[in-house]
Coordinates of all heavy atoms in Angstrom, one line a residue:
M1 N 99.3 -127.5 101.0 CA 100.0 -127.1 102.2 C 99.2 -127.4 103.4 O 98.0 -127.2 103.5 CB 100.2 -125.5 102.1 CG 101.1 -125.0 103.2 SD 102.8 -125.6 103.3 CE 103.4 -125.0 101.8
G2 N 99.9 -128.0 104.4 CA 99.2 -128.3 105.7 C 98.7 -129.7 105.8 O 98.2 -130.1 106.8
F3 N 98.9 -130.5 104.7 CA 98.5 -131.9 104.7 C 99.7 -132.8 104.8 O 100.7 -132.6 104.2 CB 97.7 -132.2 103.4 CG 96.4 -131.5 103.3 CD1 96.3 -130.4 102.6 CD2 95.3 -132.1 103.9 CE1 95.0 -129.7 102.5 CE2 94.0 -131.5 103.8 CZ 93.9 -130.3 103.1
S4 N 99.6 -133.8 105.6 CA 100.8 -134.7 105.8 C 100.5 -136.1 105.0 O 101.5 -136.8 104.8 CB 101.0 -135.0 107.3 OG 99.9 -135.6 107.9
D5 N 99.3 -136.4 104.7 CA 99.0 -137.6 103.9 C 97.7 -137.4 103.2 O 96.8 -136.9 103.7 CB 99.0 -138.8 104.8 CG 99.0 -140.2 104.0 OD1 99.3 -140.1 102.8 OD2 98.6 -141.2 104.6
V6 N 97.7 -137.9 101.9 CA 96.5 -137.9 101.1 C 96.3 -139.2 100.4 O 97.3 -139.7 99.8 CB 96.5 -136.7 100.0 CG1 95.3 -136.8 99.2 CG2 96.7 -135.4 100.7
Q7 N 95.1 -139.8 100.6 CA 94.8 -141.1 99.9 C 93.6 -140.9 99.0 O 92.6 -140.4 99.5 CB 94.5 -142.1 101.0 CG 95.6 -142.4 101.9 CD 96.8 -143.1 101.2 OE1 96.6 -144.0 100.4 NE2 98.0 -142.7 101.5
V8 N 93.8 -141.2 97.8 CA 92.7 -141.2 96.8 C 92.1 -142.6 96.7 O 92.8 -143.5 96.3 CB 93.1 -140.6 95.5 CG1 91.9 -140.6 94.5 CG2 93.7 -139.3 95.6
A9 N 90.8 -142.7 97.1 CA 90.2 -144.0 97.0 C 89.2 -144.0 95.9 O 89.1 -143.1 95.1 CB 89.5 -144.3 98.4
E10 N 88.4 -145.1 95.8 CA 87.4 -145.2 94.7 C 86.3 -144.2 94.7 O 85.9 -143.6 93.7 CB 86.8 -146.6 94.7 CG 86.0 -146.9 93.4 CD 85.6 -148.4 93.4 OE1 86.4 -149.3 93.8 OE2 84.4 -148.6 93.1
N11 N 85.9 -143.8 95.9 CA 84.7 -142.9 96.0 C 85.0 -141.5 96.7 O 84.2 -140.7 96.7 CB 83.6 -143.6 96.9 CG 83.1 -144.8 96.2 OD1 82.7 -144.8 95.0 ND2 83.2 -146.0 96.9
A12 N 86.2 -141.4 97.2 CA 86.5 -140.1 98.0 C 88.0 -140.0 98.1 O 88.8 -140.9 97.9 CB 85.8 -140.1 99.3
I13 N 88.4 -138.8 98.5 CA 89.8 -138.4 98.8 C 89.9 -138.2 100.3 O 89.0 -137.4 100.9 CB 90.2 -137.1 98.1 CG1 90.0 -137.3 96.6 CG2 91.6 -136.7 98.4 CD1 90.1 -136.0 95.8
Y14 N 90.8 -138.8 101.0 CA 91.0 -138.7 102.4 C 92.3 -138.0 102.7 O 93.4 -138.4 102.1 CB 91.0 -140.1 103.1 CG 89.7 -140.8 102.8 CD1 89.5 -141.5 101.6 CD2 88.7 -140.8 103.8 CE1 88.3 -142.2 101.4 CE2 87.5 -141.5 103.5 CZ 87.3 -142.2 102.3 OH 86.2 -142.8 102.1
A15 N 92.4 -137.0 103.6 CA 93.6 -136.2 103.8 C 93.8 -135.9 105.3 O 92.9 -135.5 106.0 CB 93.5 -134.9 103.0
V16 N 95.0 -136.2 105.8 CA 95.4 -135.8 107.1 C 95.9 -134.4 107.1 O 96.8 -134.1 106.3 CB 96.5 -136.8 107.7 CG1 96.9 -136.4 109.1 CG2 96.0 -138.2 107.6
F17 N 95.3 -133.6 108.0 CA 95.6 -132.1 107.9 C 96.3 -131.7 109.3 O 95.7 -132.0 110.3 CB 94.3 -131.4 107.7 CG 94.5 -129.9 107.5 CD1 95.1 -129.4 106.4 CD2 94.0 -129.0 108.5 CE1 95.3 -128.0 106.3 CE2 94.2 -127.6 108.3 CZ 94.8 -127.2 107.2
H18 N 97.4 -131.0 109.2 CA 98.0 -130.5 110.4 C 97.9 -129.0 110.5 O 98.1 -128.4 111.6 CB 99.5 -130.9 110.5 CG 100.4 -130.5 109.4 ND1 100.7 -129.2 109.1 CD2 101.0 -131.2 108.4 CE1 101.5 -129.1 108.1 NE2 101.7 -130.4 107.6
G19 N 97.5 -128.3 109.4 CA 97.1 -126.9 109.5 C 98.2 -125.9 109.6 O 98.0 -124.7 109.8
R20 N 99.5 -126.3 109.4 CA 100.6 -125.3 109.5 C 101.2 -125.0 108.1 O 101.4 -126.0 107.3 CB 101.6 -125.9 110.4 CG 101.2 -125.9 111.8 CD 102.3 -126.5 112.7 NE 102.5 -127.9 112.5 CZ 101.7 -128.9 113.0 NH1 100.6 -128.6 113.6 NH2 102.0 -130.1 112.8
S21 N 101.4 -123.8 107.8 CA 102.0 -123.4 106.5 C 103.5 -123.7 106.6 O 104.1 -123.9 107.7 CB 101.8 -121.9 106.3 OG 102.5 -121.1 107.2
F22 N 104.2 -123.8 105.4 CA 105.6 -124.0 105.4 C 106.4 -122.9 106.1 O 107.3 -123.1 106.8 CB 106.1 -124.1 104.0 CG 107.5 -124.5 103.8 CD1 108.0 -125.7 104.2 CD2 108.5 -123.6 103.4 CE1 109.3 -126.1 104.1 CE2 109.8 -123.9 103.3 CZ 110.2 -125.2 103.6
K23 N 105.9 -121.6 106.0 CA 106.5 -120.5 106.7 C 106.4 -120.7 108.2 O 107.4 -120.4 108.9 CB 105.8 -119.2 106.3 CG 106.2 -118.5 105.1 CD 105.5 -117.2 104.9 CE 106.1 -116.4 103.8 NZ 105.5 -115.1 103.7
E24 N 105.3 -121.1 108.7 CA 105.2 -121.3 110.1 C 106.1 -122.4 110.6 O 106.7 -122.3 111.7 CB 103.7 -121.7 110.5 CG 103.5 -121.9 111.9 CD 102.0 -122.3 112.2 OE1 101.2 -122.3 111.3 OE2 101.8 -122.6 113.4
I25 N 106.2 -123.5 109.8 CA 107.1 -124.6 110.2 C 108.6 -124.1 110.3 O 109.3 -124.4 111.2 CB 107.0 -125.8 109.2 CG1 105.6 -126.4 109.4 CG2 108.0 -126.8 109.5 CD1 105.2 -127.4 108.3
V26 N 109.0 -123.4 109.3 CA 110.4 -122.8 109.2 C 110.6 -121.9 110.4 O 111.6 -121.9 111.0 CB 110.7 -122.2 107.8 CG1 112.0 -121.4 107.9 CG2 110.7 -123.2 106.7
K27 N 109.7 -121.0 110.6 CA 109.8 -120.0 111.6 C 109.9 -120.6 113.0 O 110.8 -120.3 113.8 CB 108.6 -119.0 111.6 CG 108.8 -117.8 112.5 CD 107.6 -116.9 112.2 CE 107.8 -115.6 113.0 NZ 106.6 -114.6 112.8
S28 N 109.1 -121.7 113.2 CA 109.2 -122.4 114.5 C 110.5 -123.1 114.7 O 111.1 -123.1 115.8 CB 108.0 -123.4 114.6 OG 106.8 -122.7 114.6
A29 N 111.0 -123.7 113.6 CA 112.3 -124.4 113.6 C 113.4 -123.5 113.9 O 114.3 -123.8 114.7 CB 112.5 -125.2 112.3
Q30 N 113.4 -122.3 113.3 CA 114.4 -121.3 113.6 C 114.4 -120.8 115.0 O 115.4 -120.5 115.6 CB 114.3 -120.1 112.6 CG 114.6 -120.5 111.2 CD 114.3 -119.4 110.2 OE1 113.5 -118.5 110.5 NE2 114.9 -119.5 109.0
A31 N 113.2 -120.8 115.6 CA 113.1 -120.3 117.0 C 113.3 -121.5 118.0 O 113.3 -121.3 119.2 CB 111.7 -119.8 117.2
G32 N 113.6 -122.7 117.5 CA 113.8 -123.8 118.4 C 112.6 -124.5 118.9 O 112.6 -125.3 119.8
V33 N 111.4 -124.2 118.3 CA 110.2 -124.7 118.8 C 109.9 -126.0 118.0 O 109.9 -126.0 116.7 CB 109.0 -123.7 118.6 CG1 107.7 -124.4 119.0 CG2 109.2 -122.5 119.4
D34 N 109.7 -127.1 118.6 CA 109.5 -128.4 118.0 C 108.0 -128.6 117.8 O 107.3 -129.0 118.7 CB 110.1 -129.5 118.8 CG 110.2 -130.8 118.0 OD1 110.1 -130.8 116.8 OD2 110.2 -131.9 118.7
L35 N 107.5 -128.4 116.6 CA 106.1 -128.7 116.3 C 105.9 -130.1 115.9 O 106.7 -130.7 115.2 CB 105.6 -127.8 115.1 CG 105.6 -126.3 115.4 CD1 105.2 -125.6 114.1 CD2 104.6 -125.9 116.5
P36 N 104.7 -130.7 116.2 CA 104.5 -132.1 115.7 C 104.3 -132.1 114.2 O 103.8 -131.2 113.6 CB 103.2 -132.5 116.5 CG 102.6 -131.3 116.9 CD 103.7 -130.2 117.0
D37 N 104.8 -133.2 113.6 CA 104.7 -133.4 112.1 C 103.3 -133.9 111.8 O 102.9 -133.8 110.6 CB 105.7 -134.4 111.6 CG 107.1 -133.9 111.7 OD1 107.3 -132.7 111.7 OD2 108.0 -134.7 111.8
D38 N 102.6 -134.3 112.8 CA 101.3 -135.0 112.5 C 100.1 -134.1 112.6 O 100.2 -133.0 113.1 CB 101.1 -136.1 113.6 CG 102.4 -137.0 113.8 OD1 103.2 -137.0 112.8 OD2 102.5 -137.7 114.8
G39 N 99.0 -134.6 112.1 CA 97.8 -133.9 112.1 C 96.7 -134.4 113.0 O 96.8 -135.6 113.4
Q40 N 95.8 -133.7 113.4 CA 94.7 -134.1 114.3 C 93.3 -134.1 113.5 O 92.3 -134.2 114.2 CB 94.7 -133.2 115.5 CG 94.0 -133.8 116.7 CD 94.2 -133.0 117.9 OE1 94.6 -131.8 117.9 NE2 93.9 -133.5 119.1
F41 N 93.4 -133.9 112.2 CA 92.1 -133.8 111.5 C 92.2 -134.7 110.2 O 93.3 -134.8 109.6 CB 91.9 -132.4 111.0 CG 91.9 -131.4 112.1 CD1 93.0 -130.6 112.3 CD2 90.8 -131.2 112.9 CE1 93.1 -129.7 113.3 CE2 90.9 -130.3 113.9 CZ 92.0 -129.5 114.1
I42 N 91.1 -135.4 109.9 CA 91.0 -136.1 108.6 C 89.9 -135.4 107.8 O 88.7 -135.3 108.3 CB 90.7 -137.6 108.7 CG1 91.9 -138.3 109.5 CG2 90.5 -138.2 107.4 CD1 91.7 -139.7 109.7
Y43 N 90.2 -134.9 106.7 CA 89.2 -134.3 105.8 C 88.9 -135.3 104.7 O 89.7 -136.0 104.2 CB 89.7 -133.0 105.1 CG 89.8 -131.8 106.1 CD1 91.0 -131.5 106.8 CD2 88.7 -131.0 106.3 CE1 91.0 -130.4 107.6 CE2 88.8 -129.9 107.1 CZ 89.9 -129.6 107.8 OH 90.0 -128.6 108.7
V44 N 87.6 -135.4 104.4 CA 87.1 -136.2 103.3 C 86.5 -135.4 102.2 O 85.6 -134.5 102.5 CB 86.1 -137.3 103.8 CG1 85.7 -138.2 102.7 CG2 86.7 -138.1 105.0
F45 N 86.9 -135.6 101.0 CA 86.4 -134.8 99.8 C 85.9 -135.8 98.8 O 86.3 -136.9 98.7 CB 87.6 -134.0 99.2 CG 88.3 -133.1 100.1 CD1 89.4 -133.5 100.8 CD2 87.8 -131.8 100.2 CE1 90.1 -132.6 101.6 CE2 88.5 -130.9 101.1 CZ 89.6 -131.3 101.8
N46 N 84.9 -135.3 98.0 CA 84.5 -136.2 96.9 C 85.6 -136.1 95.8 O 86.5 -135.3 95.9 CB 83.1 -135.8 96.4 CG 83.0 -134.4 95.7 OD1 84.0 -133.8 95.3 ND2 81.8 -133.9 95.6
L47 N 85.4 -136.8 94.7 CA 86.5 -136.9 93.7 C 86.6 -135.6 92.9 O 87.6 -135.4 92.2 CB 86.3 -138.1 92.8 CG 86.4 -139.4 93.5 CD1 86.1 -140.6 92.6 CD2 87.8 -139.6 94.2
K48 N 85.6 -134.7 93.1 CA 85.7 -133.4 92.4 C 86.4 -132.4 93.3 O 86.7 -131.3 92.9 CB 84.3 -132.8 92.1 CG 83.7 -133.6 91.0 CD 82.3 -133.0 90.7 CE 81.6 -133.8 89.6 NZ 80.3 -133.2 89.3
G49 N 86.7 -132.8 94.6 CA 87.4 -131.9 95.5 C 86.5 -131.1 96.5 O 86.9 -130.3 97.3
D50 N 85.2 -131.4 96.4 CA 84.2 -130.8 97.3 C 84.3 -131.4 98.7 O 84.3 -132.7 98.8 CB 82.8 -130.8 96.8 CG 82.7 -130.2 95.4 OD1 83.3 -129.1 95.2 OD2 82.0 -130.8 94.5
P51 N 84.3 -130.7 99.8 CA 84.3 -131.3 101.1 C 83.1 -132.1 101.4 O 81.9 -131.7 101.1 CB 84.5 -130.1 102.1 CG 84.2 -128.9 101.3 CD 84.2 -129.2 99.8
I52 N 83.3 -133.3 102.1 CA 82.2 -134.1 102.5 C 82.0 -134.1 104.0 O 81.0 -133.8 104.6 CB 82.4 -135.6 102.0 CG1 82.4 -135.7 100.5 CG2 81.3 -136.5 102.6 CD1 82.7 -137.0 100.0
C53 N 83.2 -134.3 104.7 CA 83.1 -134.2 106.2 C 84.5 -134.0 106.7 O 85.5 -134.1 106.0 CB 82.5 -135.5 106.8 SG 83.4 -137.0 106.5
K54 N 84.6 -133.8 108.0 CA 85.9 -133.6 108.7 C 85.8 -134.4 110.0 O 84.8 -134.3 110.8 CB 86.0 -132.1 109.0 CG 87.2 -131.8 110.0 CD 87.1 -130.3 110.3 CE 88.0 -129.9 111.4 NZ 88.0 -128.5 111.8
Y55 N 86.9 -135.1 110.3 CA 87.0 -135.9 111.6 C 88.0 -135.2 112.4 O 89.1 -134.9 112.0 CB 87.4 -137.3 111.3 CG 86.4 -138.1 110.5 CD1 86.6 -138.3 109.1 CD2 85.3 -138.7 111.1 CE1 85.6 -139.0 108.4 CE2 84.4 -139.4 110.4 CZ 84.6 -139.6 109.0 OH 83.6 -140.3 108.3
V56 N 87.7 -134.9 113.7 CA 88.6 -134.4 114.6 C 89.0 -135.5 115.5 O 88.2 -136.2 116.2 CB 88.0 -133.3 115.5 CG1 89.0 -132.7 116.5 CG2 87.4 -132.2 114.6
L57 N 90.3 -135.8 115.5 CA 90.9 -137.0 116.3 C 91.3 -136.5 117.7 O 91.7 -135.4 117.9 CB 92.1 -137.6 115.5 CG 91.7 -137.9 114.0 CD1 93.0 -138.4 113.3 CD2 90.7 -138.9 113.9
D58 N 91.4 -137.5 118.6 CA 91.9 -137.2 119.9 C 93.4 -137.4 120.1 O 93.9 -137.3 121.2 CB 91.1 -138.0 121.0 CG 91.3 -139.5 120.8 OD1 91.9 -139.9 119.8 OD2 90.7 -140.3 121.6
D59 N 94.0 -137.7 119.0 CA 95.5 -137.9 119.0 C 96.0 -137.5 117.6 O 95.2 -137.3 116.7 CB 95.9 -139.4 119.2 CG 97.2 -139.5 119.9 OD1 98.0 -138.5 119.8 OD2 97.5 -140.6 120.4
Y60 N 97.3 -137.3 117.5 CA 97.9 -136.8 116.3 C 98.3 -138.0 115.5 O 98.9 -139.0 116.0 CB 99.1 -136.0 116.6 CG 98.8 -134.6 117.1 CD1 98.6 -134.4 118.5 CD2 98.6 -133.5 116.3 CE1 98.3 -133.2 119.0 CE2 98.2 -132.3 116.8 CZ 98.1 -132.1 118.1 OH 97.8 -130.9 118.6
I61 N 98.1 -138.0 114.2 CA 98.5 -139.1 113.3 C 99.3 -138.5 112.1 O 99.2 -137.3 111.8 CB 97.3 -139.9 112.7 CG1 96.4 -139.0 111.9 CG2 96.6 -140.5 113.9 CD1 95.4 -139.7 111.1
Y62 N 100.1 -139.3 111.4 CA 100.8 -138.8 110.2 C 100.2 -139.4 109.0 O 100.0 -138.7 108.0 CB 102.3 -139.2 110.3 CG 103.1 -138.6 109.2 CD1 103.4 -137.3 109.3 CD2 103.4 -139.3 108.1 CE1 104.1 -136.7 108.2 CE2 104.1 -138.8 107.1 CZ 104.5 -137.5 107.1 OH 105.2 -136.9 106.1
G63 N 99.9 -140.7 109.0 CA 99.4 -141.3 107.7 C 98.2 -142.2 108.0 O 97.8 -142.5 109.1
I64 N 97.5 -142.5 106.9 CA 96.3 -143.3 106.9 C 96.3 -144.4 105.9 O 97.0 -144.3 104.9 CB 95.0 -142.4 106.8 CG1 95.1 -141.6 105.5 CG2 94.8 -141.5 108.0 CD1 93.8 -140.8 105.2
F65 N 95.5 -145.4 106.1 CA 95.2 -146.4 105.1 C 93.7 -146.5 105.0 O 93.0 -146.6 106.0 CB 95.8 -147.8 105.5 CG 95.3 -148.9 104.6 CD1 95.8 -149.1 103.3 CD2 94.2 -149.7 105.0 CE1 95.3 -150.1 102.5 CE2 93.8 -150.7 104.2 CZ 94.3 -150.9 103.0
V66 N 93.1 -146.4 103.8 CA 91.7 -146.4 103.7 C 91.2 -147.6 102.9 O 91.8 -147.9 101.8 CB 91.2 -145.1 102.9 CG1 89.7 -145.1 102.7 CG2 91.7 -143.9 103.7
D67 N 90.2 -148.3 103.4 CA 89.5 -149.3 102.6 C 88.0 -149.0 102.6 O 87.3 -149.3 103.6 CB 89.8 -150.7 103.3 CG 89.2 -151.9 102.6 OD1 88.3 -151.6 101.7 OD2 89.5 -153.0 102.8
E68 N 87.5 -148.5 101.6 CA 86.2 -148.0 101.5 C 85.2 -149.2 101.4 O 84.0 -149.1 101.8 CB 85.9 -147.1 100.3 CG 86.6 -145.8 100.4 CD 86.3 -144.9 99.2 OE1 86.3 -145.4 98.0 OE2 86.1 -143.7 99.4
K69 N 85.6 -150.4 101.0 CA 84.7 -151.5 100.9 C 84.3 -152.0 102.2 O 83.2 -152.5 102.4 CB 85.4 -152.6 100.1 CG 85.5 -152.2 98.6 CD 86.2 -153.3 97.8 CE 86.4 -152.8 96.4 NZ 87.3 -153.6 95.6
K70 N 85.1 -151.8 103.2 CA 84.8 -152.2 104.6 C 84.5 -151.0 105.5 O 84.2 -151.2 106.6 CB 85.9 -153.0 105.2 CG 86.2 -154.3 104.5 CD 87.2 -155.2 105.2 CE 87.4 -156.5 104.4 NZ 88.5 -157.3 105.0
Y71 N 84.5 -149.8 104.9 CA 84.2 -148.6 105.6 C 85.0 -148.4 106.9 O 84.4 -148.1 107.9 CB 82.7 -148.6 105.9 CG 81.8 -148.6 104.7 CD1 81.2 -149.8 104.4 CD2 81.7 -147.5 103.8 CE1 80.4 -149.9 103.2 CE2 81.0 -147.6 102.7 CZ 80.3 -148.8 102.4 OH 79.5 -148.9 101.2
Y72 N 86.3 -148.4 106.7 CA 87.1 -148.1 107.9 C 88.4 -147.4 107.4 O 88.8 -147.5 106.2 CB 87.5 -149.3 108.7 CG 88.4 -150.3 108.1 CD1 89.8 -150.2 108.2 CD2 87.9 -151.4 107.5 CE1 90.6 -151.1 107.7 CE2 88.7 -152.4 106.9 CZ 90.1 -152.2 107.0 OH 90.9 -153.1 106.5
C73 N 89.0 -146.7 108.3 CA 90.2 -146.0 108.0 C 91.2 -146.3 109.2 O 90.8 -146.1 110.3 CB 89.9 -144.5 107.9 SG 91.4 -143.5 107.7
C74 N 92.3 -146.8 108.9 CA 93.3 -147.1 109.9 C 94.3 -146.1 110.0 O 94.9 -145.6 109.0 CB 94.0 -148.5 109.6 SG 92.9 -149.9 109.6
C75 N 94.7 -145.7 111.3 CA 95.6 -144.7 111.5 C 96.7 -145.2 112.5 O 96.4 -145.9 113.4 CB 95.0 -143.5 112.2 SG 93.6 -142.9 111.3
R76 N 97.9 -144.9 112.2 CA 99.0 -145.4 113.1 C 99.5 -144.2 113.8 O 100.0 -143.2 113.2 CB 100.1 -146.0 112.3 CG 101.2 -146.4 113.2 CD 102.4 -147.1 112.4 NE 103.5 -147.1 113.3 CZ 104.1 -148.2 113.6 NH1 103.8 -149.3 113.1 NH2 105.1 -148.2 114.5
C77 N 99.5 -144.2 115.2 CA 99.9 -143.1 116.0 C 101.2 -143.5 116.7 O 101.4 -144.7 117.1 CB 98.9 -142.8 117.1 SG 97.3 -142.3 116.4
E78 N 102.2 -142.6 116.8 CA 103.4 -142.9 117.5 C 103.8 -141.8 118.4 O 103.5 -140.7 118.1 CB 104.6 -143.2 116.5 CG 104.3 -144.5 115.7 CD 105.6 -144.9 115.0 OE1 106.7 -144.6 115.4 OE2 105.4 -145.5 113.9

């Protein structure tokens, strides 16, 4: 809950997090409040699920593409 995209790579798990529960999304929609679907955080976990780090972005994103061999993560913002 709260994640909009998860990518499992060879060495880690990368997840875009928006931090809203399903209840909060439904309640906001019923009240006519338009919440962004995107997240502003990327969490990185090892393959056992233990947290490694958290990136705070200056814009909202929905999905990611990860290439660990070149050590970059591409995000598309709209």
Side-chain angles (χ1 to χ4, degrees):
M1 185 62 65
F3 293 94
S4 58
D5 190 16
V6 176
Q7 298 292 317
V8 179
E10 191 173 318
N11 298 306
I13 301 166
Y14 301 83
V16 178
F17 186 68
H18 58 70
R20 290 178 292 283
S21 69
F22 186 68
K23 274 185 171 182
E24 183 182 353
I25 293 169
V26 169
K27 192 174 184 178
S28 296
Q30 290 172 339
V33 176
D34 191 23
L35 296 175
D37 292 332
D38 310 341
Q40 202 170 12
F41 308 99
I42 297 177
Y43 286 95
V44 183
F45 303 92
N46 66 20
L47 296 176
K48 292 181 180 180
D50 302 318
I52 296 173
C53 66
K54 170 184 167 182
Y55 296 97
V56 180
L57 308 175
D58 61 356
D59 205 346
Y60 289 88
I61 63 167
Y62 187 77
I64 56 175
F65 170 80
V66 177
D67 183 345
E68 290 181 321
K69 292 178 182 166
K70 294 184 181 179
Y71 299 106
Y72 69 86
C73 176
C74 295
C75 308
R76 179 182 166 123
C77 303
E78 290 192 34

